[in-house]
Amino acid sequence: MKTTNHTEVTEFVFQGFSNFGEHQLTLFAVFLALYIPTLAGNVIIVTIIHIDHHLHTPMYLFLSVLSTSETFYSLVIIPRMLSSLIGLSQSISLVGCGTQLFFFLGFAITNCLLLAVMGFDRYVAICNPLRYSIIMNWRVCTILASSVCASGFLLSLVQAVAIFRLPFCNSLIEHFFCDVRPVLDLACATPVINDILTLVISLLAITAPATFLFVSYILIISTILKIASAEGRKKAFATCASHLTVVIIHYGCASIAYFKPKSENTRDQDQLISVTYTVITPLLNPVVYSLRNKEVQDALRRVVGRKSLP
């Protein structure tokens, strides 16, 4: 536990990308160029899935929820980050910081749990195809989607309340948004219980679903390898490739960010990791699931009235 004399802190100031000096306008242009297709892509996916009845399946229900979550996840962080890069307000009130952390964690944990649910959907589709429609009926899918969203925000609320009950001795956040570790570093006292709570939530939100996905994909791959025809194996692998790509990058970044020892933390490393999971990862969803997914491409062509490739 660290303690020191303190005065009451009523707002925080983001140090953001101040180390990059004159390159901040370049960063603004790059991040904006990544953010616009992220926002547009996720909105398009949700709209296409809602409109086209061919995509009214469990897999695309979960994808629609994931795209919605990714949209709000990026909205919580990126607009404020962009405004700070062009010299607008870099301060945030205590309540505003707590609110940002709550929604950021809520959507982040929801995304992790949703990816696990989507992995379960792929497992049932490949390993139990004859029972798929029975196991993954709409009632089950709705319960699963609602449960992961509720669980994500419940864990987020517990974490946010635990952090913002602490007294703060410093107002300068060495980051571009209110994340767990940068905010905890400003506390006058960090009880061991806070570190334990952070670890437990990380285990529930990252390790548990990642382990579930690992086991699921071992079973999926073993089942695919038993398929007699090469074409059948190729088709089965194709249905999992997009999901597996997002899973590896998403959980990889989250694990590095939240399980890396504090002694190894550096500001530039933390910011690079954070940029990856706040700017790059949300872009993967529309890119991987739309540009590489024939069903979504076909649905998009149907919606815009194009029946064949140009």
Side-chain angles (χ1 to χ4, degrees):
M1 180 184 294
K2 58 179 182 178
T3 59
T4 184
N5 293 331
H6 67 278
T7 57
E8 184 179 1
V9 173
T10 58
E11 69 174 19
F12 295 121
V13 177
F14 295 118
Q15 197 164 356
F17 297 94
S18 57
N19 282 356
F20 291 86
E22 68 275 9
H23 300 295
Q24 291 193 53
L25 284 178
T26 303
L27 289 176
F28 172 84
V30 171
F31 292 154
L32 182 61
L34 292 172
Y35 179 56
I36 291 174
T38 298
L39 193 61
N42 281 310
V43 170
I44 289 171
I45 287 179
V46 173
T47 304
I48 294 298
I49 292 173
H50 177 73
I51 293 175
D52 195 289
H53 70 276
H54 294 90
L55 300 183
H56 292 178
T57 64
M59 182 177 75
Y60 289 107
L61 166 67
F62 297 133
L63 177 57
S64 176
V65 177
L66 180 64
S67 293
T68 302
S69 181
E70 291 279 21
T71 300
F72 286 106
Y73 171 79
S74 59
L75 278 171
V76 169
I77 299 167
I78 299 180
R80 177 176 281 275
M81 178 186 73
L82 291 173
S83 68
S84 68
L85 283 171
I86 56 175
L88 299 180
S89 176
Q90 297 195 26
S91 64
I92 187 170
S93 67
L94 205 63
V95 173
C97 187
T99 302
Q100 185 185 55
L101 186 141
F102 166 71
F103 281 109
F104 158 70
L105 278 182
F107 289 117
I109 297 172
T110 295
N111 292 344
C112 287
L113 299 179
L114 272 171
L115 288 172
V117 170
M118 293 171 75
F120 175 70
D121 174 75
R122 293 299 82 205
Y123 162 77
V124 176
I126 292 173
C127 299
N128 294 280
L130 298 179
R131 300 184 61 203
Y132 179 76
S133 59
I134 298 173
I135 296 174
M136 300 302 292
N137 60 64
W138 283 109
R139 180 174 177 274
V140 169
C141 292
T142 302
I143 291 173
L144 286 173
S146 301
S147 296
V148 298
C149 292
S151 299
F153 281 95
L154 178 60
L155 291 174
S156 173
L157 179 63
V158 171
Q159 178 81 86
V161 169
I163 291 175
F164 283 89
R165 291 181 65 184
L166 301 174
F168 295 98
C169 289
N170 195 344
S171 62
L172 184 63
I173 299 180
E174 295 187 347
H175 209 40
F176 57 87
F177 72 98
C178 292
D179 202 353
V180 174
R181 280 190 173 176
V183 175
L184 275 176
D185 286 342
L186 306 183
C188 302
T190 307
V192 175
I193 189 64
N194 281 72
D195 291 329
I196 294 174
L197 179 62
T198 300
L199 177 61
V200 169
I201 290 177
S202 298
L203 290 172
L204 291 174
I206 302 172
T207 306
T211 302
F212 174 80
L213 282 166
F214 178 73
V215 174
S216 296
Y217 269 100
I218 289 178
L219 297 174
I220 288 171
I221 291 171
S222 65
T223 300
I224 291 175
L225 293 176
K226 294 176 184 176
I227 298 175
S229 69
E231 185 64 27
R233 289 194 299 270
K234 181 180 178 181
K235 185 177 180 181
F237 272 120
T239 64
C240 298
S242 297
H243 177 256
L244 192 56
T245 301
V246 176
V247 163
I248 291 172
I249 297 176
H250 192 98
Y251 283 100
C253 292
S255 298
I256 293 171
Y258 291 99
F259 290 117
K260 185 177 65 172
K262 289 183 178 180
S263 58
E264 296 183 10
N265 282 3
T266 68
R267 180 183 167 191
D268 290 341
Q269 286 177 344
D270 287 345
Q271 287 191 337
L272 178 61
I273 295 168
S274 297
V275 165
T276 303
Y277 66 74
T278 58
V279 180
I280 307 299
T281 302
L283 181 60
L284 288 176
N285 191 34
V287 169
V288 171
Y289 282 112
S290 60
L291 297 183
R292 296 188 59 209
N293 189 304
K294 188 176 184 301
E295 289 181 317
V296 174
Q297 291 172 351
D298 290 342
L300 181 59
R301 281 193 287 269
R302 284 192 294 269
V303 169
V304 297
R306 294 168 58 186
K307 302 299 183 181
S308 61
L309 288 172

